[in-house]
Amino acid sequence: MRFTYLFICLLYSQISLAELRGTGDLGLIIEREPAAVQIISTSTQTSLSHITGLGDLSHASVVYSRDARYAFIFGRDGGLSKIDLLKNKIDKRIIQAGNSIGGAISQDGKLIAVSNYQPGGVKVFSSETLELIADIPATYAPNKRSKVVGLVDAPGQKFIFSLFDANEIWILDLQEPQKPKIQKFSNIGKQPYDALLSPDGRYYIAGLFADNGLALLDLWSPEKGVKRILPDYGKQDEKLPVYKMPHLEGWAAAGNLMFIPAIGQHEVLVIEQSTWQLIKRIPVLGQPVFVMARPDGRQVWVNCAFPDNGNLQVIDVKDLSVKKHLQPGKAVLHMEFTPRGEHVWVSARDDNRVLIYDTQSFKEIKRLPAKKPSGIFFSSRAHKMGL
Amino acid sequence: MRFTYLFICLLYSQISLAELRGTGDLGLIIEREPAAVQIISTSTQTSLSHITGLGDLSHASVVYSRDARYAFIFGRDGGLSKIDLLKNKIDKRIIQAGNSIGGAISQDGKLIAVSNYQPGGVKVFSSETLELIADIPATYAPNKRSKVVGLVDAPGQKFIFSLFDANEIWILDLQEPQKPKIQKFSNIGKQPYDALLSPDGRYYIAGLFADNGLALLDLWSPEKGVKRILPDYGKQDEKLPVYKMPHLEGWAAAGNLMFIPAIGQHEVLVIEQSTWQLIKRIPVLGQPVFVMARPDGRQVWVNCAFPDNGNLQVIDVKDLSVKKHLQPGKAVLHMEFTPRGEHVWVSARDDNRVLIYDTQSFKEIKRLPAKKPSGIFFSSRAHKMGL
């Protein structure tokens, strides 16, 4: 009998001891095949656990609860999974739609919004229970629902998103979650395909797949409507076939400059934020996919679409030129900076590894094995807007 | 025998269970009399525990480990205490100097630097063990050591600080902790009394107690040296007696604007960051002490020195004017925004309470009892530079 107690006791205390850790330095690596996530620590630079049963994780993205204990994973198959980073397990999981493209968490941390392709719209869930709180179909004409893209959270319990098929941007105000308020902006440009929010939560900018320029909404002055910036961008250029849609989710801002991937071109565009003028086109090795600023804004890191996706280039923001060229491996899909920018984690899908670089010396610090890794997401995202 | 096991087991599991929480939404409230700290949760808006034995906590400040599990408290009496937020207790504590004014944590989280008045200098400790790693006396002439103020961490394992008595700014590079490198800038202006770093870690600005203007160092171009900005600030003004030194630690930046408290004046100065020109002086009710931007930069909150320290004013950054006046209680000493800005916590020392406000409606949400509360510090600071 006493051995039973002892066994239970030891087992229990083992589990409990394993959980005694801060959550500020944790993160997730998405593995595509077979679909799984690794929980990692950026302090020990090790993998802490491995979780399966999460459905299709191609193009999956992640947001975090305000205490940085729970991760919410948005799967491409419409799955929404809540992971407990301390218990190393799935806390809750639902299939909320047929085809989903990402999500966001509300300013107060209580609501999770998911943007869906099929059926087109946004669904809002309790972050506590994953119960449905609001269902916002993206209906723009009788029986017509649009794919929803570029969903971000914004200050004041708002979510902002774009309707690919309807050429619209909507502001969803959930201060009273049972009474959602929607403000719609139409004719914002053809086929918005993704969007970003400035780190301060003020400017929402949508990329336009079938139109020139970008659509800009100033959330401090929504009454002024959506205006087109960079109207000449995309006009004269002969477009290359687009191998992969660039991502606009990571707003790369450094001081007064903003960096975005040019769609269909081998260029990063540099925009001056007070005038919204294009001040430079920086040539890169391929079609840029992620264009991300180191947290201090001194460097901008760029990966590229197939067939140039073995490259990583680093722009020095001081003189707006490429200063470093790295080749981390085959199919570099994503990167994530540690919160204060000393390191960057890079996934090389077809080499089945994640690499950690020192961002000052560009030295490789460590490699971690991962099966077809794609997105990397650190828990410090819990405290940021517009992701 | 089996009851002993059972008892130990239950006791152990109780302790362990109590600790199972994320650390992203935790924080500390400093209580001055009797000296203590409260560990709080910004999610539940409750006090979790109360820790004493920390020495003199007047003017205490706090930084966090990169996992947001440990808080490092810098006491005015030279005490340096490491608190375990999960075990609710002091992990380690040393007396490192006679009179201290604050500290910072290195970019990689491994080093804690403390700025001392007496003996004047900076000491650097291991964040793991609190063992001394480097001792940097602020010697500027034979047998003369300066008080050190305005210590901040900066990218690249650096600490930047100012020498009040020597009119100098030093950059301390600790990439090799055993071989500290120091770069000194002299004649930067008379009596630097505090300093701040821009949120991106690029600009270090020191306030000058006995000189006009502010001293600016661009860390991207240190070879250009320290230059004076706002040279007319303080020149013509008849100075009022200064009841309390304003704090520059909280850089209030909103887009391209920077807000700082005018020393000895009832004004907040607004500086345009690309030109470093003063673009507005905003009148406030008293001598401003803390001038802090809500994380989205839309509002700037200002408290005042005695005898106007019952007031809190809110500047709307959209039109640069005071939009709201609150009176939270007697002796409003400090405020801290939740990471995504929906709430602000305010300490009212002489009313023995901390108040939580909704920053959009300005409604008071809750009051927590606290004994002579001063500083409030949330664990999301773990991920920020320049604090």
Side-chain angles (χ1 to χ4, degrees):
Chain A
M1 186 69 171
R2 83 182 200 206
F3 287 104
T4 313
Y5 279 117
L6 185 59
F7 178 74
I8 293 169
C9 179
L10 280 174
L11 185 74
Y12 193 80
S13 64
Q14 280 303 308
I15 295 166
S16 300
L17 273 181
E19 296 147 355
L20 195 64
R21 59 177 183 239
T23 52
D25 58 349
L26 302 181
L28 290 184
I29 298 171
I30 305 288
E31 296 185 325
R32 287 195 177 185
E33 288 169 29
V37 296
Q38 286 188 34
I39 299 177
I40 59 86
S41 158
T42 64
S43 294
T44 58
Q45 300 173 345
T46 55
S47 180
L48 302 175
S49 65
H50 196 258
I51 297 168
T52 56
L54 296 161
D56 178 3
L57 292 184
S58 55
H59 208 279
S61 64
V62 177
V63 299
Y64 287 90
S65 63
R66 70 196 307 288
D67 61 357
R69 174 174 176 176
Y70 299 99
F72 299 88
I73 304 176
F74 307 100
R76 191 56 192 261
D77 58 358
L80 170 59
S81 309
K82 182 178 179 181
I83 302 277
D84 186 334
L85 300 176
L86 292 178
K87 291 188 174 171
N88 303 316
K89 68 181 187 72
I90 298 172
D91 182 73
K92 287 182 180 66
R93 175 169 160 80
I94 58 170
I95 301 295
Q96 57 82 35
N99 190 331
S100 162
I101 192 66
I105 185 164
S106 63
Q107 185 179 32
D108 69 358
K110 291 182 180 164
L111 305 172
I112 302 289
V114 194
S115 56
N116 292 320
Y117 277 6
Q118 188 55 42
V122 170
K123 284 187 180 172
V124 181
F125 301 90
S126 156
S127 63
E128 178 74 26
T129 62
L130 297 194
E131 283 172 311
L132 186 68
I133 302 235
D135 188 355
I136 315 289
T139 306
Y140 63 98
N143 297 319
K144 285 196 169 178
R145 290 173 72 157
S146 171
K147 291 193 194 87
V148 170
V149 298
L151 173 76
V152 299
D153 61 282
Q157 283 297 93
K158 293 187 176 76
F159 293 103
I160 326 288
F161 50 90
S162 297
L163 280 62
F164 179 84
D165 306 295
N167 309 329
E168 294 186 358
I169 293 173
W170 291 11
I171 299 177
L172 173 61
D173 181 335
L174 290 169
Q175 286 188 79
E176 296 176 84
Q178 308 301 338
K179 293 181 197 167
K181 285 182 201 154
I182 301 172
Q183 190 176 1
K184 300 177 184 180
F185 300 86
S186 51
N187 301 314
I188 60 106
K190 287 178 199 151
Q191 295 184 350
Y193 65 90
D194 197 6
L196 48 70
L197 195 74
S198 57
D200 61 3
R202 176 169 181 177
Y203 297 108
Y204 181 83
I205 296 182
L208 302 171
F209 189 67
D211 224 329
N212 298 319
L214 301 162
L216 169 72
L217 177 59
D218 179 356
L219 297 174
W220 287 16
S221 302
E223 71 286 355
K224 291 185 180 163
V226 175
K227 71 173 186 180
R228 193 74 59 88
I229 59 169
L230 271 57
D232 295 330
Y233 155 51
K235 206 176 248 174
Q236 293 97 349
D237 299 322
E238 189 188 342
K239 281 201 176 70
L240 301 173
V242 176
Y243 290 103
K244 185 171 166 60
M245 283 289 207
H247 280 254
L248 297 178
E249 291 159 29
W251 172 294
N256 200 30
L257 302 178
M258 171 190 159
F259 297 76
I260 66 160
I263 188 166
Q265 302 294 324
H266 291 195
E267 291 175 344
V268 170
L269 308 179
V270 186
I271 300 170
E272 211 269 328
Q273 207 183 303
S274 52
T275 60
W276 299 109
Q277 297 297 309
L278 180 69
I279 62 162
K280 191 164 183 182
R281 292 160 174 253
I282 302 174
V284 288
L285 284 169
Q287 294 185 1
V289 177
F290 282 102
V291 172
M292 301 177 82
R294 197 172 69 173
D296 68 346
R298 175 64 193 265
Q299 298 172 348
V300 169
W301 290 56
V302 184
N303 72 340
C304 294
F306 179 85
D308 305 301
N309 58 0
N311 299 289
L312 206 47
Q313 287 180 287
V314 184
I315 296 167
D316 186 332
V317 173
K318 195 175 166 186
D319 58 12
L320 299 180
S321 65
V322 172
K323 274 291 166 62
K324 192 75 190 175
H325 175 200
L326 299 169
Q327 293 183 297
K330 291 179 198 147
V332 173
L333 291 197
H334 198 228
M335 52 205 154
E336 178 88 334
F337 293 94
T338 51
R340 306 212 294 170
E342 72 278 20
H343 297 150
V344 65
W345 291 46
V346 176
S347 58
R349 186 192 59 197
D350 295 346
D351 278 333
N352 294 304
R353 65 187 184 219
V354 166
L355 301 96
I356 307 173
Y357 288 96
D358 179 305
T359 62
Q360 194 166 3
S361 67
F362 302 108
K363 281 186 189 141
E364 186 188 317
I365 298 172
K366 197 165 180 179
R367 297 178 183 203
L368 296 177
K371 288 173 189 155
K372 302 284 173 197
S374 58
I376 305 172
F377 303 91
F378 294 157
S379 66
S380 51
R381 288 175 175 248
H383 302 138
K384 291 193 176 155
M385 289 173 284
L387 295 177
Chain B
M1 188 67 169
R2 82 183 202 205
F3 286 106
T4 313
Y5 280 116
L6 185 61
F7 177 73
I8 292 169
C9 178
L10 281 173
L11 186 73
Y12 191 79
S13 63
Q14 280 302 308
I15 295 166
S16 299
L17 273 180
E19 295 147 357
L20 195 64
R21 58 176 183 238
T23 52
D25 58 349
L26 302 181
L28 290 184
I29 297 171
I30 305 288
E31 296 185 325
R32 288 195 175 184
E33 288 169 29
V37 296
Q38 287 188 33
I39 300 177
I40 57 86
S41 158
T42 64
S43 294
T44 58
Q45 299 173 344
T46 54
S47 180
L48 301 175
S49 66
H50 197 257
I51 297 167
T52 57
L54 296 162
D56 179 2
L57 292 183
S58 56
H59 208 279
S61 64
V62 177
V63 298
Y64 288 89
S65 63
R66 69 197 305 290
D67 62 357
R69 174 173 174 176
Y70 298 99
F72 300 88
I73 305 177
F74 308 99
R76 190 57 193 260
D77 57 358
L80 170 59
S81 309
K82 181 179 179 181
I83 303 278
D84 186 334
L85 300 176
L86 292 178
K87 291 187 174 170
N88 303 315
K89 70 181 188 70
I90 298 172
D91 181 73
K92 287 182 181 64
R93 174 169 161 77
I94 59 170
I95 301 295
Q96 59 81 34
N99 190 331
S100 163
I101 193 67
I105 185 164
S106 63
Q107 185 180 30
D108 70 357
K110 291 181 180 165
L111 306 172
I112 302 288
V114 194
S115 55
N116 292 320
Y117 277 7
Q118 187 55 44
V122 170
K123 286 188 179 172
V124 181
F125 301 90
S126 156
S127 63
E128 177 73 26
T129 62
L130 296 193
E131 283 172 312
L132 186 69
I133 302 236
D135 188 356
I136 314 288
T139 307
Y140 63 98
N143 298 317
K144 285 195 169 177
R145 290 174 71 158
S146 171
K147 292 193 193 89
V148 171
V149 299
L151 172 74
V152 299
D153 61 282
Q157 283 297 92
K158 293 187 176 75
F159 293 103
I160 326 288
F161 51 89
S162 297
L163 280 63
F164 179 84
D165 307 296
N167 309 328
E168 293 186 359
I169 293 173
W170 290 11
I171 299 177
L172 173 60
D173 182 335
L174 290 169
Q175 286 187 78
E176 296 176 84
Q178 307 302 337
K179 294 181 196 167
K181 285 182 202 153
I182 300 172
Q183 190 176 1
K184 300 179 183 179
F185 301 86
S186 51
N187 300 313
I188 61 109
K190 287 177 199 151
Q191 296 184 351
Y193 64 91
D194 198 5
L196 48 70
L197 194 73
S198 57
D200 60 4
R202 176 169 183 178
Y203 297 108
Y204 181 83
I205 296 183
L208 303 170
F209 190 67
D211 224 328
N212 299 320
L214 301 161
L216 169 72
L217 177 58
D218 179 355
L219 298 173
W220 288 16
S221 302
E223 72 285 356
K224 291 187 180 163
V226 174
K227 71 173 189 180
R228 193 74 59 88
I229 59 170
L230 272 60
D232 295 330
Y233 155 51
K235 205 175 247 177
Q236 294 97 349
D237 299 324
E238 190 188 341
K239 282 200 175 70
L240 302 174
V242 177
Y243 290 104
K244 183 170 169 57
M245 282 289 205
H247 280 253
L248 296 179
E249 292 158 28
W251 172 293
N256 200 30
L257 302 177
M258 173 191 157
F259 296 77
I260 65 160
I263 189 166
Q265 303 293 325
H266 290 196
E267 288 175 348
V268 171
L269 307 179
V270 186
I271 301 170
E272 211 269 328
Q273 208 183 302
S274 52
T275 60
W276 300 107
Q277 298 298 308
L278 180 70
I279 61 162
K280 191 164 182 182
R281 294 161 173 250
I282 301 174
V284 288
L285 284 169
Q287 293 184 1
V289 178
F290 282 101
V291 172
M292 300 176 84
R294 197 172 71 172
D296 68 346
R298 175 64 193 266
Q299 298 172 349
V300 170
W301 290 56
V302 184
N303 72 339
C304 295
F306 178 85
D308 304 300
N309 58 359
N311 300 290
L312 206 47
Q313 288 180 286
V314 184
I315 294 167
D316 187 332
V317 173
K318 194 174 165 186
D319 58 12
L320 299 180
S321 65
V322 172
K323 273 290 166 61
K324 192 74 190 177
H325 175 201
L326 298 168
Q327 293 183 298
K330 290 179 197 150
V332 173
L333 291 198
H334 198 228
M335 54 204 153
E336 177 88 334
F337 291 94
T338 50
R340 305 213 294 171
E342 71 278 20
H343 298 149
V344 63
W345 291 46
V346 176
S347 58
R349 184 191 62 197
D350 295 346
D351 279 333
N352 294 305
R353 67 188 183 218
V354 167
L355 302 94
I356 307 172
Y357 288 95
D358 180 305
T359 61
Q360 191 165 4
S361 66
F362 301 108
K363 281 184 190 146
E364 186 187 318
I365 297 172
K366 197 164 179 181
R367 297 178 181 202
L368 297 176
K371 287 172 188 155
K372 301 284 175 198
S374 59
I376 305 172
F377 303 91
F378 294 157
S379 66
S380 51
R381 288 175 174 249
H383 302 137
K384 291 192 176 156
M385 291 173 283
L387 296 176

